[in-house]
Amino acid sequence: MLTTRSVTCGAVLVSLFAACGPSQRDPNQPDGPYLEVTPGDARLDIINRAPASLTFTVELVDDDGDRDDVTDRAMFYVDSQYGSFVGPTFTAYGGGSGVATVTATVDGVSGDAPVTIYVRESRVDASAPANAADYFTGTENPGMAPAIAYPAPDVIVPANIGEFEVHWNPGGANVYEMALTSAYSDVRVYYGNTNMGAFTPGEWFAAMAGSIEGTLTVRGANMAQPGTFGSSAPQMVKKSNQPIEGGLYYFATQSSQGEAGIWRHDFANPGQPPQPFFTNSMSPNGCVGCHALSRDGSKMSLTFGGDGPASLINTSTRAGTPPNDYWNFATYMPSGNEVVTVYHGQMVLRDANSAAVISNISSNGMYATHPEMNTAGTRLAFTQAQSGYYDFQVYQGSIYTMPYDAGTRQFGAPTPLVVDGSNNFYPSWSPNDEWVLFNRADNGTTTYDEPSASLWVVKADGTVPPVQLAFANSGQGLTNSWARWAPFPQTFGPDNEPVYWVTFSSKRNFGLRGGFGQPQIWMAPFFPNRAAAGLDPSGPPFRLPFQAMDSNNHIAQWTERVVEIE
């Protein structure tokens, strides 16, 4: 017989379903002794992060069905995102929602039980009245319904996106409820007379930790007309199955965040602001610009101004080689021991510690620039052009690759990958080296700061022709440029569909904040299986939230990790 009992304590609700009656062997258990962990099914409601606790009992059941309470001998385990144990008592803090598995072990015998953790949170912004939630009872009034303007419907973001901003067209309301709900969560934030708001990193995590998708809605009410409210059309918000890893180094102009120069963001700390890494005041000529990093993040190539002197820098000390040589673009070998640099269309292989030239790289007499080494260190992609100006302005560019032998430090003959009469440039290898991401612009245009620039991918072996990232390119004159891959592959959805992330600089509007004509760093997912089938491989783009809106941000370069500065 099954019985149900409920225990309520303040803001915490625990529902327990426990078996009772005479001892008998569970026919679903394997032969031999096993542990029975009770309650066998439980739910904890975490309201506004008030901790909720539940004490478990463990019984050892032998072959005859006889039971022995071994709770005091049991070791308990649960994924730390859900909570922790002190003895047999589990406490959830609201950091994660969903179904957690509690496992108990005694002398090599184990048993487990599920615990469903449901998170509910609400926050009233200072712009709203303290009783803002009271305005959202009554009847629907379509005239008060807001319309979500950002993010795009069905947006897919990394699990650790950090702050999640929402914009809406107000309708006839002056108080708003922004809600993100899933199967295991309900998070709501209330705002006064505004057209945008944001879920904090903690609120985002609480809302989405237990689900791969959530429902975003915005409701509006008018404080002069209590008893009615309007609701936006619901939008799905989806996330990857894993948090994104790595660091992003980008160029930013002077802004409210600080001095112009190279700034960086560590995705391991999604709620933290970006950190200045190498600013203009640290440069020998007052300006920093193009940069590239080794995959492990320990080394950086840095050019002081466009077409200026350059240095190879240790990222932990920010000390570098004397800026006696000149180059604009660079790419490191996977070992970090060599680096390819380019100056006025001539690529050079250098020692990555001393900057000494090892050899010139032949490109059949053509203007070559934008070098990018693959992750295996076996092939170099680059732009081969009819002509160029300071490596930034390239005309009639095509994407070529050439083999590289790390043992002999020799490059082979270049072979064409994308040659079609358009202006193709800025190649970048996917994390598994199977795809090359690149920019394409109208024939006869330039490459730097080019409004017609768009994002494309091509299979590195040429078996799949160029495919446009249509979602990411949505709109005209957006200057979608400087595209790069995040360093690690991920999965998406219940079927674990492979997904990579790409970042790029774009001058598109950021929702209702505007900013058109001012570059910001945007991100979009890339699905390789869709690209292989000739389908649009991208999803709706979104702006990375750590940036200053009053800064021009571009040349975003990824590393596998962020190295601490000594």
Side-chain angles (χ1 to χ4, degrees):
M1 179 179 69
L2 292 177
T3 62
T4 303
R5 60 189 177 95
S6 296
V7 180
T8 303
C9 179
V12 180
L13 174 66
V14 182
S15 301
L16 309 180
F17 301 87
C20 60
S23 296
Q24 57 183 356
R25 183 173 183 82
D26 186 340
N28 296 318
Q29 292 290 344
D31 293 336
Y34 67 91
L35 295 185
E36 183 174 278
V37 183
T38 55
D41 194 359
R43 168 170 162 162
L44 297 178
D45 278 56
I46 313 300
I47 301 175
N48 289 331
R49 308 198 189 186
S53 296
L54 176 64
T55 298
F56 284 87
T57 299
V58 181
E59 292 183 310
L60 179 66
V61 184
D62 64 19
D63 289 338
D64 297 325
D66 293 328
R67 297 168 178 269
D68 181 21
D69 189 323
V70 292
T71 304
D72 60 343
R73 296 165 51 199
M75 298 293 294
F76 292 90
Y77 171 79
V78 69
D79 191 317
S80 60
Q81 71 168 309
Y82 297 108
S84 60
F85 271 91
V86 175
T89 300
F90 168 67
T91 300
Y93 302 97
S97 59
V99 180
T101 299
V102 170
T103 300
T105 303
V106 176
D107 297 333
V109 182
S110 63
D112 53 49
V115 180
T116 300
I117 301 171
Y118 194 89
V119 172
R120 286 185 286 170
E121 290 192 17
S122 64
R123 172 171 59 90
V124 179
D125 184 73
S127 63
N131 67 334
D134 296 341
Y135 289 96
F136 297 94
T137 58
T139 58
E140 285 273 354
N141 179 354
M144 294 181 182
I148 298 175
Y150 177 89
D154 297 313
V155 67
I156 304 169
V157 301
N160 55 335
I161 182 62
E163 184 180 79
F164 188 78
E165 195 159 314
V166 181
H167 303 174
W168 57 85
N169 293 302
N174 57 19
V175 61
Y176 301 92
E177 177 194 77
M178 189 176 71
L180 187 55
T181 60
S182 73
Y184 305 106
S185 63
D186 187 321
V187 178
R188 298 170 188 263
V189 184
Y190 296 90
Y191 285 93
N193 197 16
T194 184
N195 61 358
M196 62 187 66
F199 295 100
T200 66
E203 290 166 345
W204 162 263
F205 188 82
M208 298 291 287
S211 303
I212 60 173
E213 63 182 26
T215 301
L216 174 66
T217 55
V218 178
R219 298 197 295 175
N222 193 307
M223 289 184 284
Q225 304 173 45
T228 63
F229 59 87
S231 302
S232 71
Q235 285 188 190
M236 297 308 298
V237 176
K238 306 175 183 181
K239 67 179 179 66
S240 59
N241 294 338
Q242 304 86 21
I244 200 166
E245 298 179 63
L248 196 66
Y249 290 70
Y250 62 98
F251 176 80
T253 58
Q254 181 80 24
S255 73
S256 57
Q257 282 186 335
E259 188 183 357
I262 306 300
W263 287 65
R264 67 182 188 177
H265 176 70
D266 187 351
F267 280 85
N269 300 299
Q272 297 298 312
Q275 176 187 38
F277 173 74
F278 204 106
T279 57
N280 282 358
S281 61
M282 302 169 66
S283 168
N285 67 354
C287 180
V288 296
C290 285
H291 59 286
L293 290 106
S294 60
R295 289 188 62 82
D296 66 359
S298 66
K299 297 177 180 179
M300 173 184 281
S301 165
L302 185 57
T303 301
F304 303 114
D307 209 44
S311 177
L312 300 177
I313 293 170
N314 182 312
T315 55
S316 66
T317 63
R318 289 182 289 199
T321 59
N324 299 327
D325 294 307
Y326 287 75
W327 64 80
N328 288 306
F329 297 99
T331 182
Y332 281 86
M333 299 299 175
S335 66
N337 294 325
E338 298 89 19
V339 62
V340 174
T341 65
V342 63
Y343 186 68
H344 292 195
Q346 174 61 60
M347 296 188 296
V348 171
L349 181 66
R350 296 177 182 271
D351 182 278
N353 297 306
S354 66
V357 174
I358 298 172
S359 64
N360 290 325
I361 303 172
S362 173
S363 56
N364 292 342
M366 300 290 286
Y367 194 99
T369 189
H370 309 156
E372 181 77 2
M373 199 69 197
N374 70 355
T375 62
T378 58
R379 204 156 192 91
L380 181 75
F382 62 98
T383 301
Q384 186 164 286
Q386 295 297 317
S387 61
Y389 180 72
Y390 291 168
D391 300 308
F392 298 96
Q393 307 284 28
V394 174
Y395 302 88
Q396 295 179 313
S398 300
I399 307 300
Y400 275 69
T401 67
M402 62 172 62
Y404 177 69
D405 186 325
T408 63
R409 291 179 164 181
Q410 296 295 314
F411 289 89
T415 57
L417 181 61
V418 181
V419 181
D420 61 4
S422 301
N423 197 10
N424 303 291
F425 50 97
Y426 292 153
S428 179
W429 295 91
S430 66
N432 64 355
D433 292 338
E434 290 187 359
W435 297 90
V436 174
L437 175 70
F438 65 97
N439 276 129
R440 171 173 289 176
D442 298 335
N443 186 26
T445 58
T446 63
T447 55
Y448 179 75
D449 203 33
E450 172 52 48
S452 69
S454 57
L455 308 176
W456 294 70
V457 294
V458 63
K459 198 70 180 291
D461 61 7
T463 57
V464 176
V467 179
Q468 183 177 185
L469 277 64
F471 261 127
N473 289 330
S474 54
Q476 298 293 321
L478 304 181
T479 320
N480 294 337
S481 197
W482 305 101
R484 288 293 183 266
W485 304 86
F488 301 107
Q490 295 191 325
T491 61
F492 168 73
D495 297 327
N496 292 314
E497 181 182 8
V499 63
Y500 305 140
W501 295 103
V502 298
T503 52
F504 57 98
S505 178
S506 179
K507 291 184 176 180
R508 68 186 67 212
N509 269 333
F510 172 33
L512 299 179
R513 287 190 181 274
F516 185 83
Q518 180 173 307
Q520 294 273 290
I521 301 168
W522 290 69
M523 179 179 263
F526 170 82
F527 298 95
N529 292 351
R530 302 181 195 183
L535 304 174
D536 179 12
S538 65
F542 53 92
R543 174 187 171 271
L544 288 174
F546 51 80
Q547 304 167 84
M549 269 298 296
D550 57 347
S551 171
N552 295 335
N553 304 322
H554 52 82
I555 323 179
Q557 305 281 13
W558 283 87
T559 63
E560 294 179 340
R561 65 188 180 97
V562 170
V563 175
E564 291 295 325
I565 299 173
E566 295 178 2

